[in-house]
Amino acid sequence: EAAVTQSPRSKVAVTGGKVTLSCHQTNNHDYMYWYRQDTGHGLRLIHYSYVADSTEKGDIPDGYKASRPSQENFSLILELASLSQTAVYFCASRGQNTGQLYFGEGSKLTVL
Amino acid sequence: GDSVTQTEGLVTLTEGLPVMLNCTYQSTYSPFLFWYVQHLNEAPKLLLKSFTDNKRPEHQGFHATLHKSSSSFHLQKSSAQLSDSALYYCALSLITGNTGKLIFGLGTTLQVQP
């Protein structure tokens, strides 16, 4: 079974603070993704990466940065957290020749 | 651009009745279509994936048929169970090209009542 783990699972941050969400996969997958989930908006792609040391902007990248230091690790960084970034964040990985995503268990972020 | 449309935000039905969740898509290429299911407080996980040879995928009593003529991939089940209550996402994958993106619809919440 493919394994994607996220940390922290839950976090409360203050407005203007820095938040880092981490993701680790043991699937040997090339592709990794960060999605944001909000009621009424479904899953929206923030950033993704298909190789270490390279990241790509997704559909809603503003206010977020991403880092892929190795094939296994992919981080999402909020330099100045805002109230509107309160959401559940999912990391996912997928292999080269398959469309199937394997999701982590999610990180619930609350910005106060 | 490429997109996925799920017209129903919420579907409520009685246990034992048939289920049909709608999914239509727009794509320049011939994409793969997926259904993901997310139970409360869990991660989304794959339910079904379209085949390239037009076989009908089935899993846990659910099935979906890719109709390229109508750009649809509706999810169906003959008899709903209480445990089917969840959030269902239809998604589209563009394997061609190097974007690697999976595009999701807004999701349909299925509530099955006794």
Side-chain angles (χ1 to χ4, degrees), chain B residues 43-58:
Chain B
K45 57 185 178 183
L46 181 67
L47 180 61
L48 291 174
K49 173 185 174 183
S50 64
F51 289 111
T52 54
D53 58 0
N54 293 323
K55 288 182 181 176
R56 189 179 79 169
E58 296 191 27

Side-chain angles (χ1 to χ4, degrees), chain A residues 31 33 35 37 40-43 45 48 50 59 90 94 98-101 103-104, chain B residues 34 36 38 42-44 46 49 87 89 93 95 98-102 104-106:
Chain A
Y31 291 84
Y33 305 81
Y35 284 90
Q37 184 175 47
H41 290 279
L43 289 164
L45 182 63
Y48 64 102
Y50 52 84
D59 299 319
F90 285 99
R94 92 167 165 83
T98 171
Q100 180 179 350
L101 295 186
F103 285 89
Chain B
F34 301 81
Y36 281 80
Q38 184 180 18
E42 295 183 5
L46 181 67
K49 173 185 174 183
L87 176 59
Y89 286 107
S93 175
I95 298 297
N98 203 25
T99 63
K101 292 172 64 173
L102 200 70
F104 286 87
L106 295 182

Side-chain angles (χ1 to χ4, degrees), chain A residues 24-40:
Chain A
H24 179 80
Q25 56 109 348
T26 58
N27 308 324
N28 199 32
H29 285 167
D30 293 321
Y31 291 84
M32 294 188 74
Y33 305 81
W34 276 105
Y35 284 90
R36 168 178 173 157
Q37 184 175 47
D38 303 272
T39 302

